[in-house]
Each structure stands twice: as C-alpha cells, then as structure tokens.
Amino acid sequence: MSTEFHNTGHGAGRDSGREPVHDDIRFETEDVKATKIYGYLIALAIAVVLSYVICVYVLRVTTRMAEQSDTAPPAVREQMGAEYRAMPPEPRLQGVPGHEQDPQYDMRKKVEDDTAANEQTTWIDQNAGIAQISVKDAMRIIAEKKALPGASAPPAEKKK
C-alpha cells in the first residue's frame, strides 16, 4: 500500500516533472479540437440553409407549372352568374349553399324509411310461399323455436 496522499496531484512526489512511462499504455497527446466541432456545426448549418433554399425553389417551380397547366373554368360557369361560381362543383355535399335540404332532415327521413321497411309485412313470392314479415315477428318466431335453423347442437360436456 502506498503511504503518499492522493491529493498531491500529478508531478508531486519523487518523480516530479516526468510523466509516467509504460511500454503498452500511452496518453493522448491532444484533446478534441473545438475548431473541428465548430467546422461540423457550420457545415450542418450550411446544409440546412441549402436544403431550405432548394425546397423553396422546388415549391415555386411546381406552383408556376401548375398555374400554367391549369385550364380556365368552362364558359357555362361564367355565364351562370357570380352566385353559381361561388358554389362548389357538382356533386355538392349536404349542408353547402345550394343544397335544397338539411342534412338532419335527410337523416330523419332515412331512419323513418328504414323503420317502415322493417315493420312492413308483404308477399315477396306468394307462389313459393316467401313473405316479408316485421323484425319483431321474426324475432318472436325464432325465440319460440328456441334455436336458429341450421345451428349445430351445443358440444357435450366432458366427463372426468
């Protein structure tokens, strides 16, 4: 064990002024240079600025090409007046100006029509005996039979 204090620093002791020498181990002669790091940062900044300039150039070129290749609206739209030109082209979605009915009204009408169709009882093919019955009646008939047609029997329980 050494009897010297550890806080004496390098160079303190009997071999002061000399670096330790070992055959297999060498110390770095210099640290990382800050100029190299700054050089890489400057190169990165230049690359970012150049990519931005390229993107702006590509955007302007493609915008110009799109403007040149765009065709004018048909003359019919121009003759129909300013109100028609303000509307989107056909087919128009529900709720936009120019649509006659309210989307809520359309939904209520659809639900009413579907409910009426589900409660309707009519013959589809009377000669073949095919009829359309209401959903409530069909559910009641199936519940009375206690099983769906074509349903397989439940698996038998295993005995231990």
Side-chain angles (χ1 to χ4, degrees):
M1 229 184 198
S2 172
T3 57
E4 296 178 15
F5 291 108
H6 292 284
N7 60 359
T8 57
H10 294 291
R14 57 188 165 159
D15 292 333
S16 61
R18 247 183 32 178
E19 290 188 16
V21 178
H22 193 274
D23 295 337
D24 296 336
I25 300 174
R26 301 273 183 224
F27 291 100
E28 277 189 42
T29 57
E30 59 184 50
D31 289 332
V32 176
K33 297 284 185 184
T35 55
K36 288 184 181 179
I37 293 174
Y38 291 134
Y40 284 120
L41 288 176
I42 291 171
L44 180 64
I46 291 171
V48 168
V49 169
L50 284 176
S51 64
Y52 176 75
V53 169
I54 290 171
C55 288
V56 168
Y57 172 75
V58 168
L59 177 66
R60 288 184 180 168
V61 168
T62 54
T63 303
R64 194 175 312 122
M65 287 173 44
E67 288 172 355
Q68 291 172 353
S69 65
D70 252 357
T71 57
V76 172
R77 278 184 68 93
E78 295 296 326
Q79 294 169 359
M80 301 205 96
E83 181 181 327
Y84 186 77
R85 283 193 306 263
M87 290 191 295
E90 295 283 346
R92 293 188 186 95
L93 300 177
Q94 293 174 323
V96 299
H99 193 272
E100 295 83 30
Q101 296 174 345
D102 179 33
Q104 301 300 324
Y105 172 78
D106 289 344
M107 183 66 181
R108 286 191 298 271
K109 178 85 168 105
K110 181 184 179 336
V111 169
E112 288 174 7
D113 292 346
D114 290 347
T115 304
N118 284 339
E119 295 173 355
Q120 184 177 357
T121 304
T122 60
W123 283 103
I124 294 176
D125 187 0
Q126 192 170 4
N127 295 335
I130 300 172
Q132 175 182 340
I133 59 174
S134 68
V135 173
K136 285 183 181 179
D137 293 339
M139 289 172 60
R140 184 182 44 79
I141 292 170
I142 290 174
E144 288 173 359
K145 290 184 178 180
K146 303 265 185 189
L148 291 173
S152 61
E157 293 184 24
K158 294 182 182 179
K159 294 181 181 179
K160 294 184 178 182

